[in-house]
Amino acid sequence: MIAVALEALQLLLVLALAPLLTGIVRQVKARLTAKRGPAPWQPYRDLLRLLRKEVVLAPNASWLFRVSPYLIFTTVWLAAAIVPTFTTGLMVSRTADLIALVALLGTARFALALAGMDVGTSFGGIGSSREMMIASLAEPAMLMVTFTVALLVRSTSLPQIAEFMVTHAVGIRVSLFLGLISLVMVAIAENARIPVDNPATHLELTMVHEAMILEYSGRHLALLEAASMVKLLLYLSLIAAVFLPWGMDIGGFGPRAVAVGLASYAVKLGVGAVLLGVFETSIAKMRVFRLAEFLGGAFLLGILAAIFLYVSQGL
Amino acid sequence: MPALANLSYDTAHVLDTGVLVLSFALLYQRRLFGVIKIYALQALVLAAAAAWQAHAQDAPHLYITAGISLIFKAIVIPIALHRIIVYLNIHRTLETALGIGPTMVVGVALVALSILLVLPVTAASGALTRESLAAALSIVLLGLLMMITRRNAVSQVVGFMSLENGLILAAVGVNGMPLVVELSIAFSVMVAFIIFGIFFFHIRERFDTLDVHDIERFRGERQ
Amino acid sequence: MLSALTVGLGLYAGAALLGLAGRRAPSPVYLTAAAAGGVIALAALWRLAAAAEPVAAVLPLGLPWLGAHFRIDALSAFFLLIVNGAAVLISLYALEYGRHDDEPGRVLPFYPAFLAAMNLVLVADDAFIFLVSWELMSVASWLLVLSTPRQPETRPAAFLYLVMASFGTGALLLGFGLLSGGVGSYAFDALRGAALDPTKASILFGLAVIGTGSKAGLVPLHVWLPPAHSAAPSHVSALMSGIMTKVALYGLVRILFDLMGTPPWWWGVVVLMIGGATALMGVLYAVMQHDLKRLLAYHTVENIGIIVIGLGLALAFRANRLDALAGLALVAALLHVFNHAMFKSLLFLGSGAVLVATGERDMEHLGGLIHRMPRTAFVFLIGSVAISALPPFNGFVSEWLTFQAILAGSVLPQWLLKFAVPVVGAMLALSAALAAVCFVKAFGVVFLGRPRTPAAAEAREVSLLMVAPMAGFAAICTLVGIVPILLVDLLRPVTAMLLPGSGTALPESNLLWLIPFGLERSSYSGLTILLAITLLAGVLVVAIHRFASDRARRSPPWDCGFPDPSTETQYTAGSFAQPIRRIFGSTAFAARERVDMPEPGDARAAEFEVTLRDPAWEGIYAPVAGLVSWLADRLNVLQFQTIRRYLSLMFAALVLLLLIVAVSQ
């Protein structure tokens, strides 16, 4: 009974916190560029406003165009609920391991790319094409990080990984450090953040994610914006669960442990949001075709991390 | 604490692999100033590694190697190269003979090759020595790779210097290696001469002469 | 089971005779073939589900001192299920598709013969019957490829196919000869027990890989596959790509796992690296294509690579006596065999439907078909998502299991294997990601957007008779994706037979959970994910429509304020693939782009040219072909000699032979 309540709590928590997280990132970026910026809860207002608006569809938009936002949002929301946030004891976290999680996000991206191509404009094609290029490099990098972590923990199950990192003396390990850097680079690419893509740009030729959702409006756009906010929260939770899991409740569901878990999760999210804002302000966006080198670097770090771990385990 | 029981091993491991990752970062750079900054960072990490080995092996002469690396390679040489580039207006973007992506793939293959080579051969030694030697061989090979895939003279010299960093790393990693300090000094002198060589080459290219007499005329000091 | 097989083969023969009888109507032939397939498939399914003992039979056919040995065990039953199950659906599809054939007399007799030959390969229990059936399969499919002689690409494609098939059969012939030479008999029972010295075993290994690999499409022996598969009619392409390649892999599994005993560890490395290279090169080739059928054919190469990766892992584990892990890798590979047969057949049938509706195969001439052909688009979408290895469909399940097997590979002791496994894992990850790119492009350019030609704008949905078999394949893909244990149960007798020490494969899995090792190591529940997504999405739709807004209106697209009525400004297949072409193609295919822009004021059109070079073709086949031509030119001199010269040649040969006899005495 408690387990079911906590699973529902996790599902609602990731949805409720996501817009706040994006709001904090925007607030940090504004302050660092000497502006006041909107309040951190502005994204909630934006989403509510969009939800109430009428949807405008192109004449040749198909059923795929109308169904995709719901599918994408639900998939990303479910994926975010699968990643352990404040406790490792939930059964929903076992329905998909790290590899299946990457693939689930791949399904969402497949639907989004198709939706971008649906109306038949050139900008949708630009977005889809570039997004798939980024995916073709970021996914393997993420799988290499999974490989490294799985080599160490002997498991790809997320609750297991978090428990291992908390209970075992892992020590300072170069492989994990390289894996963390690689995962952060992948997270930046997947969430369409600077230096990969500018989420606030209005120049269509520089867009990747925004170009795919260019033709969306009203409740569809609200769902897609919410999906990208939840995705940001997902990646921050993932980094926290895999590399910095201290504070999580390890399956006991005791009230004090859960409270500590929730508090540490909130702290990690907040710190992550601030760091992301600082990082985005301090660096410029890359040219599109330099992205291959950036993501190739992430892939390479993943492979190096796996090789180093192999070596130190084989001695 | 169990996490810190292996602190000595772990720290040395981190520093060695740090030098190796910086070799990869050197291969990734497209701009000359980036190359020099990364080289300075690599020399700094090498100094830290040498200092740690001096502490762990209880070999005080390695502190001198660390000092040479810190002062000469992390500070003096980068500043000198920076000045040369600005003064002689050397072309600042790197042209590569092989694309950056394929270069990195070859780099990873070279690391795998070094590991495959070193680990079975050194089966009788301690774990840290084996890893240091594997990392050092990888750094040497990556330095060579950098030398052959870059078309700019300064970047080729930096490749050579990173190769030399790898050799110093091997020297400090092995317990009880003699003449480490002498090796460091000898290599540093050689590198200094190479840099002078580039300097003179570019001066001759620019002014068509190495005669100081003639060059002073350009400075407006003589008629 | 044997009676079912005999009935089925009889029905195939009957269908072939009906086709030969020269009647123009395709229905009797295809219906009979479908019935035959249904009978055998059901019998095979029952046999696997009941985990029955193998049955064997010896018939007095063929060579008089040998007889013809046939045997149906768990491995044969599994492949029989795949071949005949797909044959049923494809034959039903062909009932309608066959009406669009120009020359049915070229297709009808050979289609059932092709199916019958494949069934014979699967039940052959001695080398002679195996090779005869293999050749029958090759010849029947070659005739089917030639069934459209008026298209310019058919004859070169058929010629290349014949050369490569003969080469492959030659390698297998040598291999079997080597294997049975020491034993003195061709029967598989005798070969099974034979002990081979390592050199002979290695040569045999090479010949087996080359022989079966050329038929399956391993790089660099894949060059025949795309031209042949795209020249054949669509239902035949589905059979060749989805089914015949699997029969070739059956041969590989039979030889390496059944006939040859415990392998040395380095075989695993070779097979792994070949599999990884095949997967990566296959998908890179596929991304560059703009002909729908060639794209699908190259993509088959990629999936064969994935299956072979699983087989390589199984070999490596077996060599190190880790039979439980070998069982997992083998289950992953065979599961992918089934899955690929299902979704590749679906996709080829879909391309056939598009061809019937529009007359076009080139993606650059299609577009917007989701409005004109909604049912075909829907099932093609399911096939595309399945082949991109995305949950909750079946492609993901087999790739997930392959990844789990790769992760388990860290326990392998040999250093070369230790490095090969993560490298191959990286290649697999890369090809899985690129497969998704490929199919976003394929589905997006063909079905989405706006029609690029009048043919696409006026397409009409094909008849239900063609859509229903595709829907059948799609339903199987979905079912296996959410309840994979059904198929894993059928595979357990196969691994128990080939790897006796492996125990039950995936012991803790059940209807809800797929668990390879144990719950704490990894787990996947496709059913839960699908139910959760459906439930959440349903609640969301209702809530938003009720409490927020459900209004929608149609209006011209935004397109940054400059909506362009010309359909030429859409993204094309070539432009979609451009980033991938720049990143990977410039190394793999020496891809070069050339833009010829007119001067300002000049009103002529700009030109954009992309050149790609095939490394396998230019590196291996073109030089070999050149060598053969050169040799033939030199030896051609012998055609034009005088009678006196011919006599002196014969005299010289005779004297030489007498000399040899004299000296060797």
Side-chain angles (χ1 to χ4, degrees):
Chain A
M1 200 56 230
I2 297 197
V4 173
L6 285 178
E7 299 201 17
L9 176 65
Q10 173 141 313
L11 198 65
L12 293 171
L13 191 69
V14 296
L15 185 58
L17 284 182
L20 182 61
L21 197 69
T22 305
I24 295 179
V25 175
R26 289 185 192 161
Q27 175 74 260
V28 169
K29 281 165 80 167
R31 295 276 163 165
L32 283 175
T33 48
K35 301 181 209 159
R36 278 196 64 178
W41 44 87
Q42 181 62 28
Y44 292 103
R45 293 197 201 123
D46 287 337
L47 287 177
L48 277 171
R49 173 177 53 94
L50 281 172
L51 276 174
R52 289 195 268 255
K53 285 189 167 230
E54 179 186 52
V55 160
V56 176
L57 294 167
N60 64 332
S62 64
W63 60 265
L64 195 113
F65 190 81
R66 300 178 70 160
V67 166
S68 290
Y70 295 98
L71 184 66
I72 293 168
F73 177 73
T74 324
T75 311
V76 176
W77 187 21
L78 181 65
I82 288 179
V83 176
T85 54
F86 59 93
T87 176
T88 64
L90 298 174
M91 262 332 249
V92 72
S93 300
R94 298 205 182 259
T95 56
D97 68 341
L98 202 42
I99 304 178
L101 195 73
V102 172
L104 203 58
L105 290 172
T107 311
R109 182 180 30 243
F110 196 89
L112 188 60
L114 284 181
M117 295 193 73
D118 188 55
V119 180
T121 62
S122 38
F123 295 106
I126 291 181
S128 301
S129 161
R130 289 177 179 177
E131 173 72 19
M132 295 315 289
M133 167 193 76
I134 294 176
S136 71
L137 292 168
E139 249 191 52
M142 178 108 176
L143 282 168
M144 282 292 108
V145 175
T146 310
F147 197 78
T148 310
V149 172
L151 263 183
L152 184 62
V153 180
R154 298 227 167 273
S155 161
T156 52
S157 162
L158 279 163
Q160 200 63 31
I161 295 176
E163 274 185 42
F164 186 91
M165 296 289 187
V166 173
T167 54
H168 285 64
V170 176
I172 318 166
R173 282 195 172 259
V174 175
S175 326
L176 286 181
F177 185 62
L178 291 179
L180 176 61
I181 298 182
S182 183
L183 187 55
V184 168
M185 287 166 91
V186 167
I188 290 176
E190 292 272 352
N191 285 299
R193 296 270 143 196
I194 297 178
V196 173
D197 183 17
N198 187 352
T201 185
H202 55 275
L203 302 167
E204 291 84 6
L205 286 176
T206 63
M207 292 176 179
V208 177
H209 181 258
E210 297 295 316
M212 288 189 287
I213 63 178
L214 204 60
E215 299 293 335
Y216 275 111
S217 51
R219 56 184 182 274
H220 296 160
L221 186 59
L223 283 170
L224 288 172
E225 293 282 340
S228 56
M229 293 175 193
V230 173
K231 202 168 174 188
L232 181 62
L233 181 125
L234 187 159
Y235 272 95
L236 282 176
S237 309
L238 191 62
I239 293 175
V242 172
F243 291 102
L244 313 156
W246 303 286
M248 264 202 234
D249 161 49
I250 320 252
F253 296 157
R256 189 159 164 268
V258 169
V260 168
L262 283 167
S264 61
Y265 179 61
V267 167
K268 287 178 212 168
L269 280 185
V271 169
V274 170
L275 285 176
L276 179 62
V278 171
F279 180 71
E280 279 202 273
T281 319
S282 61
I283 196 172
K285 179 167 134 48
M286 274 193 282
R287 283 178 52 187
V288 171
F289 286 113
R290 293 270 193 267
L291 282 178
E293 291 166 14
F294 179 76
L295 291 168
F299 187 46
L300 183 83
L301 283 175
I303 295 184
L304 274 181
I307 290 183
F308 291 154
L309 200 57
Y310 254 164
V311 168
S312 58
Q313 276 188 344
L315 289 175
Chain B
M1 275 179 68
L4 294 180
N6 271 324
L7 186 63
S8 165
Y9 173 86
D10 275 345
T11 316
H13 187 42
V14 167
L15 291 170
D16 289 345
T17 21
V19 182
L20 178 55
V21 170
L22 285 170
S23 276
F24 272 104
L26 271 176
L27 282 173
Y28 182 81
Q29 293 301 317
R30 276 181 184 265
R31 297 182 307 175
L32 212 47
F33 285 144
V35 165
I36 293 180
K37 279 184 209 150
I38 302 274
Y39 171 71
L41 192 59
Q42 189 184 43
L44 194 66
V45 177
L46 181 68
W52 183 262
Q53 287 291 351
H55 167 75
Q57 289 176 25
D58 203 23
H61 61 275
L62 290 179
Y63 282 121
I64 306 182
T65 308
I68 294 178
S69 182
L70 178 67
I71 297 176
F72 193 57
K73 289 194 262 188
I75 301 180
V76 172
I77 290 191
I79 293 183
L81 280 176
H82 197 107
R83 289 248 184 108
I84 292 179
I85 293 173
V86 169
Y87 185 66
L88 293 177
N89 214 4
I90 295 181
H91 199 51
R92 286 181 210 179
T93 47
L94 291 180
E95 283 142 28
T96 56
L98 192 64
I100 288 201
T103 316
M104 302 290 244
V105 171
V106 173
V108 174
L110 286 174
V111 172
L113 177 66
S114 320
I115 295 178
L116 266 176
L117 199 60
V118 169
L119 286 185
V121 164
T122 56
S125 320
L128 184 57
T129 317
R130 295 169 82 188
E131 277 186 37
S132 293
L133 281 177
L137 183 59
S138 315
I139 298 171
V140 167
L141 287 174
L142 285 175
L144 273 171
L145 184 66
M146 184 164 177
M147 282 171 72
I148 60 181
T149 58
R150 296 284 178 271
R151 296 212 173 114
N152 182 304
V154 176
S155 54
Q156 282 171 348
V157 165
V158 174
F160 176 72
M161 293 196 291
S162 80
L163 185 157
E164 183 224 324
N165 278 351
L167 289 173
I168 300 290
L169 191 69
V172 303
V174 174
N175 216 331
M177 172 114 172
L179 302 176
V180 176
V181 182
E182 287 80 349
L183 257 175
S184 322
I185 299 182
F187 272 126
S188 304
V189 170
M190 180 162 59
V191 163
F193 274 110
I194 293 181
I195 294 187
F196 282 141
I198 300 182
F199 193 49
F200 294 147
F201 175 73
H202 275 280
I203 291 186
R204 200 190 58 180
E205 284 264 303
R206 230 347 181 34
F207 303 115
D208 280 335
T209 171
L210 273 177
D211 191 341
V212 180
H213 217 65
D214 290 329
I215 292 179
E216 279 177 350
R217 241 189 309 137
F218 288 115
R219 272 187 14 197
E221 288 185 354
R222 291 161 109 254
Q223 296 305 316
Chain C
M1 176 78 207
L2 270 181
S3 44
L5 185 65
T6 330
V7 167
L9 285 173
L11 281 171
Y12 277 132
L17 285 172
L18 274 174
L20 269 174
R23 303 179 61 172
R24 307 297 264 169
S27 309
V29 177
Y30 289 119
L31 274 175
T32 324
V39 166
I40 304 182
L42 283 171
L45 183 62
W46 177 87
R47 158 164 285 273
L48 277 176
E53 287 297 310
V55 292
V58 182
L59 295 176
L61 305 168
L63 297 174
W65 60 92
L66 178 61
H69 298 247
F70 297 101
R71 183 184 160 96
I72 308 177
D73 54 21
L75 185 64
S76 312
F78 183 71
F79 278 87
L80 279 172
L81 173 65
I82 298 177
V83 170
N84 292 291
V88 170
L89 288 170
I90 296 179
S91 306
L92 288 174
Y93 173 90
L95 278 177
E96 174 64 33
Y97 186 83
R99 285 190 228 280
H100 299 266
D101 249 334
D102 300 323
E103 302 178 57
R106 285 181 185 267
V107 175
L108 289 177
F110 307 118
Y111 177 86
F114 182 35
L115 286 169
M118 286 199 280
N119 280 289
L120 280 174
V121 171
L122 295 175
V123 297
D125 197 36
D126 67 62
F128 183 70
I129 292 294
F130 186 89
L131 285 170
V132 165
S133 319
W134 189 273
E135 265 302 276
L136 256 167
M137 185 173 76
S138 305
V139 169
S141 47
W142 173 69
L143 286 167
L144 285 168
V145 170
L146 266 180
S147 64
T148 51
R150 287 201 209 105
Q151 284 176 21
E153 55 179 13
T154 311
R155 281 177 206 261
F159 178 69
L160 185 58
Y161 178 33
L162 197 61
V163 168
M164 293 303 293
S166 313
F167 171 70
T169 314
L172 276 179
L173 190 65
L174 279 174
F176 276 120
L178 204 61
L179 190 54
S180 36
V183 178
S185 155
Y186 287 122
F188 281 179
D189 272 329
L191 299 178
R192 219 164 260 141
L196 290 169
D197 62 75
T199 341
K200 231 174 156 189
S202 311
I203 301 178
L204 199 64
F205 167 72
L207 287 170
V209 169
I210 291 178
T212 54
S214 69
K215 184 67 104 214
L218 294 178
V219 161
L221 301 166
H222 67 286
V223 284
W224 64 271
L225 204 149
H229 287 198
S230 47
S234 303
H235 58 302
V236 174
S237 308
L239 271 184
M240 287 175 73
S241 227
I243 315 298
M244 187 174 73
T245 46
K246 309 302 171 303
V247 175
L249 286 175
Y250 160 83
L252 189 65
V253 173
R254 177 68 75 184
I255 296 178
L256 287 183
F257 283 89
D258 196 20
L259 295 181
M260 291 190 69
T262 315
W265 65 270
W266 62 269
W267 289 7
V269 178
V270 172
V271 175
L272 263 177
M273 299 307 289
I274 292 180
T278 307
L280 196 54
M281 287 307 287
V283 77
L284 281 175
Y285 278 121
V287 175
M288 307 289 149
Q289 301 302 315
H290 55 84
D291 177 325
L292 189 56
K293 285 177 81 167
R294 281 186 84 111
L295 182 145
L296 292 173
Y298 271 117
H299 213 268
T300 303
V301 173
E302 184 228 349
N303 280 285
I304 297 291
I306 296 177
I307 300 172
V308 168
I309 289 178
L311 290 178
L313 279 171
L315 276 176
F317 285 129
R318 185 151 184 230
N320 285 292
R321 311 216 177 271
L322 299 160
D323 278 354
L325 291 174
L328 176 68
L330 193 61
V331 164
L334 291 177
L335 199 61
H336 203 74
V337 165
F338 181 89
N339 289 337
H340 181 243
M342 296 296 118
F343 45 65
K344 194 37 74 71
S345 306
L346 168 59
L347 289 168
F348 264 109
L349 296 186
S351 74
V354 169
L355 188 58
V356 160
T358 61
E360 289 282 354
R361 258 165 46 184
D362 191 341
M363 288 193 276
E364 314 276 23
H365 297 161
L366 296 169
L369 290 178
I370 194 172
H371 301 286
R372 310 287 307 180
M373 304 172 68
R375 295 186 218 120
T376 310
F378 185 68
V379 288
F380 199 94
L381 180 63
I382 294 188
S384 307
V385 180
I387 202 171
S388 310
L390 296 172
F393 294 104
N394 56 350
F396 171 68
V397 174
S398 43
E399 281 207 27
W400 185 74
L401 283 176
T402 314
F403 270 121
Q404 293 292 335
I406 288 182
L407 286 175
S410 55
V411 302
L412 292 165
Q414 293 90 359
W415 274 102
L416 204 54
L417 267 175
K418 263 182 164 3
F419 272 106
V421 166
V423 166
V424 168
M427 286 170 149
L428 184 60
L430 204 52
S431 41
L434 285 170
V437 178
C438 195
F439 277 91
V440 169
K441 172 179 123 164
F443 189 80
V445 172
V446 171
F447 288 98
L448 299 177
R450 295 171 285 160
R452 293 178 178 81
T453 55
E458 290 155 16
R460 287 188 318 161
E461 176 67 274
V462 292
S463 82
L464 212 52
L465 210 52
M466 280 170 77
V467 176
M470 293 199 276
F473 277 124
I476 296 178
C477 287
T478 319
L479 188 64
V480 173
I482 36 185
V483 200
I485 192 68
L486 293 176
L487 209 59
V488 173
D489 263 337
L490 294 179
L491 279 170
R492 281 181 178 149
V494 181
T495 48
M497 180 196 94
L498 289 176
L499 300 163
S502 61
T504 324
L506 285 79
E508 292 188 34
S509 309
N510 52 40
L511 268 177
L512 198 59
W513 294 97
L514 189 68
I515 301 177
F517 309 103
L519 190 65
E520 68 288 342
R521 200 140 162 203
S522 53
S523 54
Y524 170 68
S525 177
L527 189 56
T528 319
I529 289 183
L530 183 65
L531 286 176
I533 291 182
T534 325
L535 192 64
L536 286 173
V539 166
L540 208 59
V541 169
V542 166
I544 291 185
H545 280 233
R546 187 90 204 286
F547 299 115
S549 153
D550 61 351
R551 295 192 309 266
R553 68 180 162 92
R554 298 273 173 173
S555 157
W558 158 239
D559 207 3
C560 303
F562 298 101
D564 196 321
S566 159
T567 56
E568 312 244 327
T569 55
Q570 286 181 97
Y571 246 51
T572 62
S575 38
F576 193 91
Q578 190 214 32
I580 307 287
R581 191 169 58 226
R582 282 224 190 151
I583 297 173
F584 298 101
S586 45
T587 359
F589 305 118
R592 299 281 172 262
E593 294 171 358
R594 192 182 62 89
V595 180
D596 182 19
M597 290 292 284
E599 295 297 310
D602 188 352
R604 73 180 169 89
E607 270 182 28
F608 179 76
E609 185 189 335
V610 173
T611 36
L612 295 168
R613 284 168 32 195
D614 184 344
W617 187 262
E618 300 204 2
I620 303 177
Y621 293 89
V624 168
L627 184 67
V628 169
S629 282
W630 178 85
L631 212 59
D633 279 339
R634 289 279 163 278
L635 293 174
N636 202 24
V637 195
L638 289 173
Q639 300 263 29
F640 304 111
Q641 307 294 326
T642 64
I643 294 192
R644 204 176 53 85
R645 289 253 175 88
Y646 284 131
L647 284 174
S648 36
L649 271 176
M650 286 193 278
F651 179 69
L654 182 61
V655 167
L656 186 63
L657 286 171
L658 289 174
L659 256 175
I660 292 178
V661 172
V663 165
S664 63
Q665 294 237 331

